[in-house]
Each structure stands twice: as structure tokens, then as C-alpha cells.
Amino acid sequence: MAEQEPNKTNQIHLSFDNVEGFLPSYINAALVNLIEPDTFILDFAFFDPVSVITTQDSNSRYPVKPVARIIISRNTAEQLLENLSLALKQQGGET
């Protein structure tokens, strides 16, 4: 049986217009908290990467713009972890 060609990732080229006074948020953040033995809260947010560059204090907290909050069960969290791990392995990443 012939070997299958590995999945190739298409590169997407982006262009951000320079708009005076506008600083787009490029970096995303995710926070996971266990709230009960079988329940997790996932918070997703964006923050301005310039805020990380301009501060000298490594203990600084960065203001974020919350985007979404979801609650998932342990089974869903385990499935998500398994799917993410599989996707990373398919792309040649380490887990």
C-alpha cells in the first residue's frame, strides 16, 4: 500500500492596515478553572500585545477583553484534550 502524503497546512497571508490610534489585539488567552470534581470553566479573552512589551514588571497583570466563558464536564474536557493532542501530533508538534 502506498504511503499517504502528510496533511499540508495552507499558509494564510494577512495584511493589517495601519489605522492611526487603533491597536488591534493579536494575542489570545485561555484560563481553565476546576469548579467541581467533574466541572471546568474555560474563559477566553484577547489582550493587547503592546501591553506586554511596554511593562518592565514581570508580575504585572494585563487587562483582557473577555470573549467567551463556557462550562464543560470532565468527559468533554478529556475529549477536548485528546482531540487537541491528536491535532498537534498530526501537525508534527510535540505533546
Side-chain angles (χ1 to χ4, degrees), residues 81-95:
L81 180 60
E82 184 179 322
N83 290 344
L84 287 171
S85 178
L86 180 61
L88 288 170
K89 287 178 184 177
Q90 289 176 346
Q91 295 300 315
E94 297 290 325
T95 58

Side-chain angles (χ1 to χ4, degrees), residues 3 14 17 20 28 32 34 36 38-39 62 64-65 69 74 80 91:
E3 287 187 30
L14 303 175
D17 293 333
E20 188 173 335
N28 61 39
V32 179
L34 177 67
E36 292 181 3
D38 290 326
T39 308
Y62 305 104
V64 298
K65 295 180 183 177
R69 171 177 274 180
R74 177 171 295 277
L80 175 61
Q91 295 300 315

Side-chain angles (χ1 to χ4, degrees), residues 27-49:
I27 299 174
N28 61 39
L31 178 65
V32 179
N33 284 297
L34 177 67
I35 58 171
E36 292 181 3
D38 290 326
T39 308
F40 297 86
I41 290 182
L42 282 72
D43 289 301
F44 298 95
F46 293 99
F47 64 97
D48 183 356

